[in-house]
Amino acid sequence: MLRAVAMMFVLTLPMWGQAQELLVPHQHHEWASFPEGSWKQVKQVTETFKEGELVSSMTTTLTIRLKEVGKDYIVLEREAKSEVSGQVFEKPIREFRSGLNGQSSGQRVRITPGGEQKISILGKPYNCEVRQMEVLGEPTKITGKVFYNASTPPYILRREHTFKAEGAEAPQKEMVAEVVALNKPYPVLTEIKTVAFIVQKTTSADETTETVEAQCTEVPGFVVGTWMTAYDAAGKLKSKTTVQLLNYEVATEPANATTSKTGLFRNKRQQRRVFDDSE
């Protein structure tokens, strides 16, 4: 998924001062903008194909909870249960600590301002700050551009990334993700909310994936729906994955939220919506 790919990119070298050393500030981050204790539950269904025929299907229910938000990191707790061919597999609860842009320990990135550039969404121009990045010290050179607009959710309106092996002439993988629609009504559990739609295409020598994602900044993690299709080098269908939001909650902020580590939490009331899954 889009955010899962973005988690590969790290930003640890400040170029704009302390408040801007991250890809986006806390209040525009898909998790750090929510109070600790906020969570979401999703159902992911992955179908695998061979020669056009369905060969397997796996359904996974994931519950992801925000445990901690720091100045430059988050801690997420993940609980998962998968069902394959009628068998249910419970997975242990795990915690994951990452930088606000997904960096693992030891990774560094050089990030440089790339000026301003306009992009068009359905014929309307949007001014964006261009932020260029390069992952340092890795065998695969990862470079990219991010187009950021602080007043237009979901804030990152376009991403371009290239993966290139050391010494290679051609990239191993290229990814482009862009917002194609903004402020669209969309059913989020029992309510109609405003979402943005993002289209991503990732290409490599042996696979092409096409993904459509719906993002709502009122829901932890932003993502409320994903539809991904993968094709092999010959253009034959390999897999389909859908992600459906089942439930979520935005935790009530503590009274001292304005003096927290980040000081950037939004003032959000507690919310919970229950999905009636009749399947």
Side-chain angles (χ1 to χ4, degrees):
M1 279 74 74
L2 307 187
R3 296 285 174 176
V5 173
M7 296 284 274
M8 297 183 66
F9 303 103
V10 298
L11 298 162
T12 57
L13 299 181
M15 295 300 293
W16 296 282
Q18 183 176 356
Q20 291 183 314
E21 46 183 77
L22 302 171
L23 181 60
V24 295
H26 286 71
Q27 67 265 34
H28 293 160
H29 188 273
E30 66 266 29
W31 280 104
S33 57
F34 294 89
E36 294 170 358
S38 299
W39 58 270
K40 71 189 299 183
Q41 185 180 64
V42 300
K43 180 171 70 174
Q44 177 177 305
V45 179
T46 299
E47 297 176 312
T48 303
F49 297 83
K50 185 175 182 179
E51 299 297 329
E53 298 292 330
L54 178 66
V55 294
S56 66
S57 178
M58 180 172 68
T59 300
T60 302
T61 301
L62 290 165
T63 302
I64 306 169
R65 186 180 305 273
L66 180 63
K67 298 286 288 185
E68 184 180 352
V69 178
K71 177 183 174 182
D72 58 1
Y73 70 90
I74 56 173
V75 177
L76 296 176
E77 178 187 84
R78 188 182 72 182
E79 183 178 357
K81 180 175 68 174
S82 296
E83 181 178 346
V84 182
S85 302
Q87 291 186 302
V88 177
F89 301 91
E90 297 275 359
K91 298 183 179 180
I93 297 175
R94 297 185 61 187
E95 286 191 0
F96 300 87
R97 175 177 170 136
S98 66
L100 286 182
N101 294 279
Q103 70 267 36
S104 60
S105 59
Q107 286 185 315
R108 295 188 307 126
V109 152
R110 178 181 294 115
I111 178 167
T112 56
E116 295 187 356
Q117 185 172 329
K118 287 185 179 180
I119 65 172
S120 178
I121 301 174
L122 295 178
K124 182 178 178 179
Y126 292 85
N127 288 321
C128 295
E129 296 178 40
V130 180
R131 301 181 176 182
Q132 300 174 331
M133 62 180 72
E134 179 184 354
V135 178
L136 304 175
E138 298 292 331
T140 298
K141 183 178 181 181
I142 305 173
T143 57
K145 286 184 184 180
V146 171
F147 297 74
Y148 169 67
N149 182 302
S151 61
T152 307
Y155 311 114
I156 295 177
L157 303 187
R158 181 179 173 90
R159 298 177 186 266
E160 302 172 1
H161 292 298
T162 300
F163 305 74
K164 188 175 181 181
E166 186 175 357
E169 294 185 4
Q172 291 176 309
K173 184 186 297 184
E174 294 179 293
M175 183 273 282
V176 176
E178 58 185 343
V179 173
V180 295
L182 291 164
N183 302 318
K184 296 299 181 182
Y186 185 82
V188 177
L189 306 182
T190 60
E191 296 183 331
I192 300 296
K193 292 189 177 294
T194 299
V195 306
F197 286 96
I198 298 95
V199 171
Q200 175 182 301
K201 186 172 184 179
T202 304
T203 56
S204 64
D206 58 355
E207 184 177 89
T208 298
T209 62
E210 298 174 352
T211 305
V212 178
E213 192 169 89
Q215 294 187 11
C216 175
T217 56
E218 295 182 47
V219 176
F222 286 5
V223 179
V224 295
T226 302
W227 303 266
M228 181 172 68
T229 307
Y231 303 90
D232 64 17
K236 294 182 179 179
L237 179 63
K238 287 182 63 177
S239 66
K240 290 183 178 181
T241 299
T242 60
V243 179
Q244 175 187 30
L245 181 68
L246 298 180
N247 203 349
Y248 77 94
E249 182 176 22
V250 177
T252 302
E253 291 185 47
N256 64 345
T258 55
T259 59
S260 67
K261 286 173 284 190
T262 64
L264 293 171
F265 282 140
R266 296 181 296 183
N267 181 23
K268 298 179 73 69
R269 61 183 175 85
Q270 186 178 18
Q271 303 178 44
R272 184 172 182 176
R273 303 291 182 266
V274 178
F275 181 84
D276 182 13
D277 190 353
S278 59
E279 296 183 17

